Structure formats: structure tokens, C-alpha cells
Amino acid sequence: MKIFYTFVIFSLMVYAQADNICRSNHTQEACFNLAKIDYDANKKAQIDKEIELECHVDNKGSLSVAWLHDNQLISLNDQVLIPDSKLELNTDSTTMFNLKIKSVELSHKGLFRCQIISKIPKNLEYNLDVLIPPTITRIPSDDIIVLNEGESLIVQCLTQGNPKPTIIWSKTGEKPGHTLIDEIKSTLTLENVDSTHSDTYSCIAKNDVGTPVVSEFQVQVKFKPKIEIASDVNIKQNVMYSALGKKEHLKCVTNAFPAPKMSLLLNNTPILNSSYSVIETNLLTHQFVLTYSFTGSNETFGDYKCIAENEMGSSTTDIRVTAHLSEVSISADKLPIFSDAAVFEWSVYSGSQIQELNVQVFSGLNYSNQTNITTKTKQIHSDGTESMPTYHNENIFYKDYFDLTKLNANSSYLIRLRIKNEGCNEWSQWSRNISVRTNTEPSDNDKLIRHRSQMYNHHRQKQHKNQAAQQTGSRDLSAKRFNSYFNSASNLHLNKFSFLIMFVTIWTFY
């Protein structure tokens, strides 16, 4: 028997070429019948999966059939000759000599040959490539990586698999920004980190074998608190315009990691912690909101300071809560100027309705003459009811126009204005001075504009009366409408036809 096996092995080492495929005009010699099998010389099998290498022999006669793996004899006829539990023969001992690998291992990679043992051996060859799903080794391996603001981080994802896997980096499902990616070294670099780098990152390896493999990790950047006052309709440039008895909500928004300690001061005096709440509103951005609710009063008006601090540092922001008005803005740009009158626009921020206007007009040599005009904005109607004019306003922003009359022609004036509101029985600071110079003499266009101005003012009075019960809204005296109304006649040639058109227009408007 030992001599027989020695002969068999010697025969298997002979690589002589022979006509080993069965053909239609083939003689009665033993051959491989490819028509009976699904033959592909290059086979691929995924690791741990099953594969069967087929071998169909015609005219075998008394010859033996063997399987070899990289020139190592592994089976003969119907017997497996090596101790590999993963190998199994599927044979009828006559024509079918299939080799089954029940669970493919990396060691099974290589050249398999089904061989008809004869004087000149005949071989049917398979090149088996073992496909391996991707694996990842991440350095560092921590699931949570904590950095201080300003530090840098390099993460490397080493992969194995067949075919060679490709690496894709992602940040919460998107390609990460503010990073450096080295595809050759499979590294992700975060430089000079800040709060925007705090997120969930992933390196994804795939090679179309099995499912992609994901290695996920979190980057948490410790950073100093960043604090600001939450925007609101009654806040302008860190001033909250309020009023007596008005319900208010002051909110300080902080982004910080680790979680900050937040506190609130009023006029440099700490407010009790139980008077306000602090909640985390966004886990991803480490956002915290301090909310303080109060009612407008002399005790709650003043200068507030929000403070947020953690191990990285502290930040503060200030806001003033007041019933007073803001600085009054005044302008006469692009507004009508007459020979005996002028129009100017004013605007102000206020937490309550505007109640009274005080205009000062300076004229004469070196503007030595002074005239005071005080206008009560409360209106008393014929039926005895009272109403406040609803100035054009957007929440706390009020604006309107003021007509100055009985001026001298060809004269210069300085004008300033102050305002009083319902919430504070004090005048605002004086506005800046603006200069106005009247026209030399009345012109036809001047008269036309004046007449239309009177008609328009009459229409405004009717609107106020109809809105007596309203406390909010808009008089719709925007500069755009005002200017278009007064200036539309500035270039008209006055003739009978023009006056007719003017009359019809005014009557329709009225």
C-alpha cells in the first residue's frame, strides 16, 4: 500500500499537458465533462460560508480520481486523506467527485485540482479566493474622547478584509467639516478643536462582502461658557423695554461643557436660585437656558447680569430692564419742506404707549429764539370718549411724523424732540438737533402739496376716530407711503386738466 501511495504522489507531481476535456469526438479515454457542471476556474467564497467544487469524470474505468490543494493530496476517490473536518466529498465513486468545503477558512485559499490519475495526469483546476468582510481596529479605541478647547486629535482606523476595504468618515451622517482626512493612512485629524467639533463620528469600512462595519465614537470638547440674552420682541441692544404691571420673561442662553453653574444678579445683588430655572435645552450643543419671570415694577427694573461658569472659565452678559424710552431718533431727510412749514419723522423704543410729545424750535440770530410745542397724544372725541392714537409700531418700536407750521419763509430752524410714555411719568432725553430751512416763496407745487396734505390729515383723523377702541396696530404712516403721497405732485405741470385729475384723485381718496 505504501508503494501505491508513493506512486500516486509521484504521478500528481507530473505537469504534462494533455487533452483532459471531453469532446464530442473524444475517444474512450477518461476526461472531464464540463457540460455536466457549472465550471469557473476562478472561484470566490466568503469566509465561514460553504462552497462546492464540482468534478464530473467520464470513462473513468479503473482509474483513480484525487483532489489536491496547492500540490497537497487531500482526497483519493471517496476518501478524505487529511484531518480537516471542513472538507467533505460528494461522490458516487463513478462520475461525480465533488469537493465540498462546509465552512471556508483563510487556509483554504489557493489552487484546487481535481485530477484523473493516469500515466499522464489530467487536471481540472480551480483558483479559490477567500472573501473576508471588513474589520476595524480604531486607535484610540475609546468610545468617548474628551478634549480641551484648542487641543488636537488624530484618530486612525486600521482595516482588514479581502478585497481591501475602503474607509469613509462621517460626522452624524455627514462628511465632517473642519477636519483633515488622510485616505492612505486612514486617519482623521481634528486641529485646534472648539465646541463645533463636539459630535458623534464614525469610520465606516466596506468592501462589498457582508455588511459595512462601523466604528463610532464621540468627541466632547470642554469649552468656556458662551452666554447671551435670548432675543425677544421687546429687547433691543440688550435693553428690555417694559412697563409697570407687565409680565416679562428674561432668558439667558449659555453653551458650555461641562455643564455650567448659572446665576443672576439685579443691581449687583444675587437673585435667589429658587426664583429662576435652569434647564438643558440641547444635548448636542450643550445649551442651557436660565429663565426668570417677573412683573414690571420699580423693584424689578434695573441692571441684570447673567453669569455662567465651569472649569474652563466664566462669562457674563448684561441687560437693562426699564420703563423709560430709548434715545429719540429724529430726521427730516426726504420729507416735504414748505415756505412756512416742515415735516419731520421721529421714532423711539418704548415698553408702553406714547403719551406726549414736546418739540422745541430754535430760530433767529444764532438760534436765540425758542418756541416750545407740547402735544398731548390722548384724543377726546365729541361723544366724550378718549383714545390713544395707534402710532405705526412694531411691538416696542414707535414712529410717526410731525408737521411744523407758521414758520417764516427762507429761514433756518433747529428742531429737537422729547417724548413721554404711559409707563414712566418722565420725559425722555432730548433728541439730537436737526436743521431745516424753509423755501423762499410758496410755489404752485407747494400749494398743491399743502392742499393734499390737509386732505390726507383729515383722512387720518377719521381713521383715529374709527380706531378709538384699539390699543395696538399701525397708522400705516410709513415713509414710503408718506413720501409717495406728498411728492407725487412735485413734477406736475399745473393746468386745467391737471387740476381736474387732482380733484378726482383727492375726492376718491377722501
Side-chain angles (χ1 to χ4, degrees):
M1 180 64 70
K2 183 180 293 185
I3 297 175
F4 173 78
Y5 280 121
T6 302
F7 170 77
V8 168
I9 295 173
F10 176 77
S11 300
L12 296 177
M13 299 300 293
V14 178
Y15 289 94
Q17 296 296 323
D19 186 8
N20 56 0
I21 307 302
C22 299
R23 306 185 187 282
S24 57
N25 58 349
H26 207 282
T27 63
Q28 293 303 308
E29 293 181 2
C31 59
F32 298 107
N33 190 341
L34 300 187
K36 299 288 187 178
I37 62 176
D38 180 18
Y39 178 69
D40 185 351
N42 296 309
K43 287 287 189 180
K44 295 181 179 181
Q46 184 174 332
I47 197 166
D48 297 329
K49 300 294 183 180
E50 181 181 285
I51 188 173
E52 188 167 331
L53 304 178
E54 297 179 288
C55 182
H56 191 98
V57 179
D58 285 352
N59 307 317
K60 171 184 174 294
S62 60
L63 299 176
S64 294
V65 176
W67 276 96
L68 298 90
H69 179 215
D70 292 336
N71 294 326
Q72 179 188 8
L73 182 65
I74 59 176
S75 74
L76 183 64
N77 293 327
D78 59 356
Q79 294 183 9
V80 176
L81 303 178
I82 62 173
D84 187 342
S85 61
K86 304 294 181 10
L87 298 179
E88 182 180 281
L89 284 171
N90 183 12
T91 179
D92 59 6
S93 300
T94 304
T95 59
M96 185 175 69
F97 296 89
N98 295 350
L99 178 66
K100 180 186 291 186
I101 307 175
K102 293 183 290 185
S103 180
V104 175
E105 296 178 348
L106 186 59
S107 61
H108 292 135
K109 181 180 179 179
L111 177 64
F112 284 84
R113 285 183 291 158
C114 180
Q115 188 174 86
I116 302 172
I117 302 174
S118 61
K119 187 176 181 180
I120 301 178
K122 298 179 179 181
N123 298 292
L124 184 65
E125 297 182 346
Y126 290 94
N127 278 302
L128 180 62
D129 188 18
V130 178
L131 303 180
I132 304 174
T135 59
I136 294 177
T137 301
R138 178 167 47 80
I139 305 171
S141 60
D142 309 69
D143 292 333
I144 299 177
I145 302 173
V146 180
L147 303 169
N148 290 334
E149 192 170 28
E151 294 181 341
S152 296
L153 171 68
I154 298 177
V155 179
Q156 186 175 26
C157 279
L158 303 176
T159 63
Q160 290 183 328
N162 184 36
K164 180 178 174 59
T166 58
I167 285 287
I168 298 174
W169 295 92
S170 74
K171 177 182 176 182
T172 56
E174 299 179 354
K175 185 175 180 180
H178 308 294
T179 59
L180 298 174
I181 297 175
D182 189 327
E183 295 182 354
I184 297 176
K185 297 181 180 179
S186 299
T187 60
L188 174 74
T189 302
L190 307 180
E191 294 184 331
N192 192 27
V193 297
D194 57 30
S195 59
T196 62
H197 291 100
S198 294
D199 214 324
T200 300
Y201 293 78
S202 300
C203 59
I204 306 166
K206 61 180 182 178
N207 64 356
D208 297 327
V209 180
T211 58
V213 178
V214 179
S215 179
E216 191 174 87
F217 59 98
Q218 285 188 352
V219 173
Q220 295 181 349
V221 179
K222 293 182 178 181
F223 60 96
K224 174 182 173 181
K226 301 171 184 176
I227 189 168
E228 63 181 6
I229 300 298
S231 60
D232 205 342
V233 294
N234 63 337
I235 296 178
K236 183 68 174 179
Q237 296 178 342
N238 274 32
V239 177
M240 176 184 284
Y241 294 97
S242 184
L244 290 170
K246 187 177 179 181
K247 300 290 185 181
E248 300 288 8
H249 303 283
L250 173 60
K251 294 184 178 181
C252 303
V253 180
T254 301
N255 293 87
F257 181 77
K261 176 185 176 182
M262 298 186 69
S263 56
L264 186 64
L265 281 67
L266 171 57
N267 298 326
N268 294 321
T269 300
I271 296 176
L272 292 175
N273 294 348
S274 58
S275 301
Y276 54 83
S277 64
V278 178
I279 59 172
E280 187 171 9
T281 56
N282 191 315
L283 295 175
L284 183 61
T285 61
H286 307 291
Q287 184 180 85
F288 300 81
V289 177
L290 182 154
T291 303
Y292 176 55
S293 300
F294 61 94
T295 301
S297 68
N298 291 331
E299 289 73 29
T300 55
F301 295 147
D303 294 322
Y304 287 81
K305 182 186 293 291
C306 285
I307 304 173
E309 51 189 342
N310 63 10
E311 65 184 70
M312 301 301 293
S314 63
S315 294
T316 64
T317 187
D318 300 317
I319 183 170
R320 171 169 292 180
V321 179
T322 180
H324 293 276
L325 298 93
S326 70
E327 180 181 350
V328 180
S329 176
I330 183 172
S331 173
D333 295 342
K334 300 180 180 179
L335 294 175
I337 302 294
F338 309 102
S339 60
D340 61 350
V343 178
F344 65 85
E345 179 185 34
W346 60 265
S347 62
V348 72
Y349 290 96
S350 173
S352 57
Q353 285 284 340
I354 303 305
Q355 195 173 42
E356 197 168 356
L357 306 180
N358 181 200
V359 180
Q360 281 188 346
V361 182
F362 300 91
S363 61
L365 185 62
N366 298 322
Y367 302 108
S368 57
N369 297 328
Q370 175 181 322
T371 303
N372 267 289
I373 304 171
T374 301
T375 301
K376 294 283 187 180
T377 56
K378 181 180 290 187
Q379 296 184 2
I380 302 176
H381 305 287
S382 57
D383 59 1
T385 60
E386 297 180 354
S387 69
M388 296 292 293
T390 52
Y391 291 102
H392 177 80
N393 69 84
E394 296 174 0
N395 300 307
I396 60 170
F397 181 63
Y398 294 81
K399 72 174 182 179
D400 208 341
Y401 299 86
F402 194 93
D403 301 337
L404 276 177
T405 58
K406 299 182 180 179
L407 302 181
N408 297 323
N410 194 26
S411 299
S412 295
Y413 295 89
L414 285 181
I415 304 168
R416 66 178 184 175
L417 170 72
R418 61 180 181 174
I419 299 175
K420 186 185 292 185
N421 65 8
E422 285 184 325
C424 181
N425 193 28
E426 296 179 4
W427 288 105
S428 68
Q429 296 294 318
W430 287 105
S431 70
R432 68 180 180 89
N433 294 336
I434 61 169
S435 60
V436 172
R437 186 170 182 83
T438 54
N439 295 333
T440 304
E441 293 180 357
S443 64
D444 291 335
N445 281 358
D446 195 13
K447 295 176 182 177
L448 176 60
I449 294 173
R450 172 59 51 78
H451 181 66
R452 295 181 69 180
S453 171
Q454 293 170 352
M455 298 298 295
Y456 186 69
N457 287 332
H458 179 66
H459 181 69
R460 284 167 55 190
Q461 293 173 4
K462 289 183 63 178
Q463 283 185 319
H464 281 305
K465 187 173 182 179
N466 293 335
Q467 296 174 350
Q470 298 182 6
Q471 295 299 316
T472 60
S474 169
R475 279 171 62 180
D476 197 18
L477 292 179
S478 64
K480 181 177 178 182
R481 176 172 177 180
F482 189 88
N483 289 335
S484 63
Y485 184 76
F486 284 98
N487 296 336
S488 59
S490 59
N491 295 318
L492 289 177
H493 295 289
L494 298 179
N495 51 42
K496 293 182 179 180
F497 185 68
S498 299
F499 275 113
L500 178 61
I501 295 176
M502 178 196 71
F503 180 81
V504 172
T505 302
I506 295 174
W507 180 260
T508 302
F509 183 81
Y510 176 77

